[in-house]
Amino acid sequence: MLYYSIYSARRLLRNANNKKTLMKRVDCALYEEFHKTTQLIKLKEPTGALIEITNGCNLSCVMCNTKMSKRPIGFIKPQIFENVLQQLIGVGIKSVGLHTVGETFMNNKLGSLLEIANHYNFNVWISTNAQFPSRIEQIYKKFPSVAYYRFSIDGATKKSYESIRSGGKYENVVDSLEVIHEINNKKRNYRISLSIDSILSSSNIYEIPMFFEKYGKYCFPENIYFGIVNGISPDPSYFRESFPFPNLIKPYIPCHMPFKSVYITYGGKVTLCCRDFDEDVVVGDIQENSLIDIWNGLQADKVRKMHLGQEKMDIRSCKSCYGPYRSISFVINEYIHSLYAYKPNIGAHGFGENIIQLLEKLDLAMANKDIGKLHENIHNAFARIN
């Protein structure tokens, strides 16, 4: 519990000294979303990217529905991967995650890809469902500079985890965490930086304190992020069921992704969506044209025009994509961490009820489009726990 002890003391001190700073960040998030009217503008070059080294996944998670994708399962070829890295370096991108809709460790040639990345001194990070503890250890021994991992863990108990991450074993998650813990406990030149992403749902909202208690051993709990599930999925029905606050949901049109980032499929296609299950937003092929030409090409501009309302939106996956207001997601994550720092003894049920009550108040305010009330409810919620 070393990480938790340091976190708890640090969080309390930081909040005591910086309550105003926290609320300024909250106010800024609300202002950016509800008051600022800034048109999305295409950057000269993309500044972010992800590489899909496979679209295959070992799990059937209730919010992803990856198995519903119409694309065949495939794996990126080393020559395509090398070409992608060269192109990314050419536009100034020097770090990338190795995933979009698939599980990174499903690619058995991951080691070969990392050798290519090492050759170009290119930083990569890994997002995984934490079902492959032995692979993590193998990769670290051969590529210790791959030092950032993001684990997707949506339950603090075996029952909740396995009900959400269908096909997964909670024991594998614990083993994966222990592998990283053992690596970091030894004096080495490289340590692994770990973050945990968790999607809030009716299945886990009453066990949030357990996330801190169980996973605080493995990473700073401030690096445990509680997100609200979105509708970026071939079947977004789980989102509607697990997040019954309809007024806090909005269509993700316009979307910022086509204006800032690129995403490469395992076949070398360039898409402007981070979860392009069926290649609906593909705008070019990196084997046929340069990345910068694709970025500035007619197909990419057409996608952007559709998101700006300058042309009719006819991209199926974009039309069905929606999720919570981003400022609300930010507020809820900050509220969870502040609540746990100040009131860790209210119990799991009390903790869940506090979050639900805040969401209900925010949902009611948004039903009336009362941004002032939304702002007031958020400030009052933080004031009560601080």
Side-chain angles (χ1 to χ4, degrees):
M1 297 298 289
L2 173 62
Y3 281 139
Y4 167 67
S5 299
I6 297 173
Y7 157 80
S8 184
R10 187 167 62 189
R11 183 85 188 190
L12 287 171
L13 179 61
R14 188 174 68 195
N15 280 2
N17 293 332
N18 297 308
K19 291 177 187 178
K20 290 183 179 180
T21 301
L22 172 61
M23 296 319 299
K24 282 182 180 178
R25 291 174 63 212
V26 169
D27 291 344
C28 182
L30 294 172
Y31 174 78
E32 288 281 338
E33 186 134 52
F34 298 112
H35 298 291
K36 192 175 182 180
T37 55
T38 303
Q39 187 178 22
L40 289 168
I41 299 174
K42 183 196 76 173
L43 299 179
K44 184 179 179 181
E45 297 173 335
T47 56
L50 294 174
I51 302 174
E52 174 189 81
I53 65 172
T54 180
N55 64 331
C57 189
N58 54 314
L59 305 184
S60 298
C61 303
V62 293
M63 61 284 196
C64 293
N65 299 297
T66 302
K67 300 293 192 294
M68 293 180 67
S69 172
K70 299 181 180 68
R71 277 196 296 154
I73 302 301
F75 304 89
I76 198 167
K77 295 178 180 178
Q79 60 267 35
I80 294 178
F81 185 76
E82 184 170 17
N83 183 20
V84 171
L85 292 194
Q86 291 172 337
Q87 298 274 351
L88 291 176
I89 292 169
V91 298
I93 295 174
K94 300 177 181 179
S95 178
V96 74
L98 303 183
H99 74 288
T100 59
V101 301
E103 162 56 42
T104 305
F105 285 113
M106 289 289 287
N107 192 320
N108 291 327
K109 294 184 179 179
L110 177 59
S112 299
L113 303 180
L114 294 178
E115 286 179 357
I116 295 171
N118 270 3
H119 174 74
Y120 287 95
N121 197 28
F122 198 95
N123 293 321
V124 299
W125 57 274
I126 291 176
S127 178
T128 176
N129 54 37
Q131 291 294 299
F132 302 86
S134 61
R135 294 291 305 281
I136 293 173
E137 191 166 17
Q138 291 167 5
I139 291 299
Y140 179 81
K141 287 179 179 178
K142 193 169 183 181
F143 304 99
S145 60
V146 180
Y148 176 71
Y149 281 74
R150 183 179 68 191
F151 282 7
S152 297
I153 308 175
D154 304 307
T157 65
K158 178 178 173 67
K159 181 179 179 181
S160 62
Y161 174 83
E162 294 183 0
S163 70
I164 297 170
R165 297 275 167 179
S166 180
K169 292 184 178 180
Y170 185 67
E171 293 80 4
N172 289 340
V173 173
V174 175
D175 288 345
S176 295
L177 290 167
E178 285 292 335
V179 166
I180 290 182
H181 184 60
E182 184 178 348
I183 289 170
N184 287 342
N185 269 352
K186 295 179 180 179
K187 291 183 178 180
R188 302 175 186 268
N189 292 329
Y190 293 95
R191 290 170 57 86
I192 292 178
S193 176
L194 175 66
S195 68
I196 294 174
D197 274 11
S198 179
I199 294 174
L200 285 177
S201 70
S202 54
S203 301
N204 64 18
I205 200 164
Y206 287 109
E207 58 181 45
I208 290 176
M210 296 176 64
F211 277 82
F212 294 104
E213 293 158 9
K214 287 193 172 185
Y215 307 137
K217 170 184 176 182
Y218 305 104
C219 72
F220 285 114
E222 60 202 59
N223 291 336
I224 301 175
Y225 301 98
F226 297 93
I228 298 173
V229 65
N230 59 47
I232 308 179
S233 167
D235 178 8
S237 57
Y238 175 79
F239 172 49
R240 294 287 189 185
E241 297 166 5
S242 65
F243 191 69
F245 306 100
N247 301 302
L248 300 181
I249 297 168
K250 70 169 185 174
Y252 278 170
I253 298 175
C255 177
H256 66 92
M257 294 183 199
F259 300 85
K260 297 180 179 180
S261 304
V262 289
Y263 308 91
I264 316 297
T265 71
Y266 69 81
K269 302 289 181 64
V270 179
T271 173
L272 300 181
C273 175
C274 69
R275 303 278 288 171
D276 196 356
F277 287 90
D278 294 316
E279 295 186 341
D280 289 336
V281 202
V282 165
V283 293
D285 190 326
I286 207 164
Q287 300 179 90
E288 298 176 0
N289 298 101
S290 71
L291 181 61
I292 195 64
D293 284 345
I294 294 170
W295 178 253
N296 292 320
L298 294 177
Q299 287 179 273
D301 280 345
K302 183 178 180 180
V303 171
R304 297 183 188 108
K305 286 178 180 178
M306 284 190 282
H307 274 273
L308 293 174
Q310 297 170 355
E311 291 189 14
K312 182 180 178 181
M313 172 57 72
D314 63 4
I315 303 172
R316 178 186 58 85
S317 57
C318 291
K319 289 192 291 186
S320 63
C321 182
Y322 54 87
Y325 288 95
R326 290 182 174 87
S327 60
I328 300 301
S329 295
F330 168 77
V331 164
I332 294 301
N333 182 66
E334 288 294 326
Y335 181 71
I336 287 172
H337 282 269
S338 294
L339 187 64
Y340 194 70
Y342 278 93
K343 297 185 180 296
N345 299 319
I346 62 174
H349 184 79
F351 205 101
E353 286 298 307
N354 270 270
I355 299 168
I356 291 172
Q357 288 170 15
L358 176 57
L359 286 168
E360 288 174 343
K361 289 180 179 179
L362 302 186
D363 189 59
L364 182 60
M366 286 303 294
N368 301 314
K369 304 300 180 186
D370 190 341
I371 306 303
K373 191 65 175 178
L374 181 81
H375 185 274
E376 178 186 337
N377 286 333
I378 291 170
H379 272 255
N380 287 343
F382 279 94
R384 282 193 297 271
I385 61 174
N386 286 340

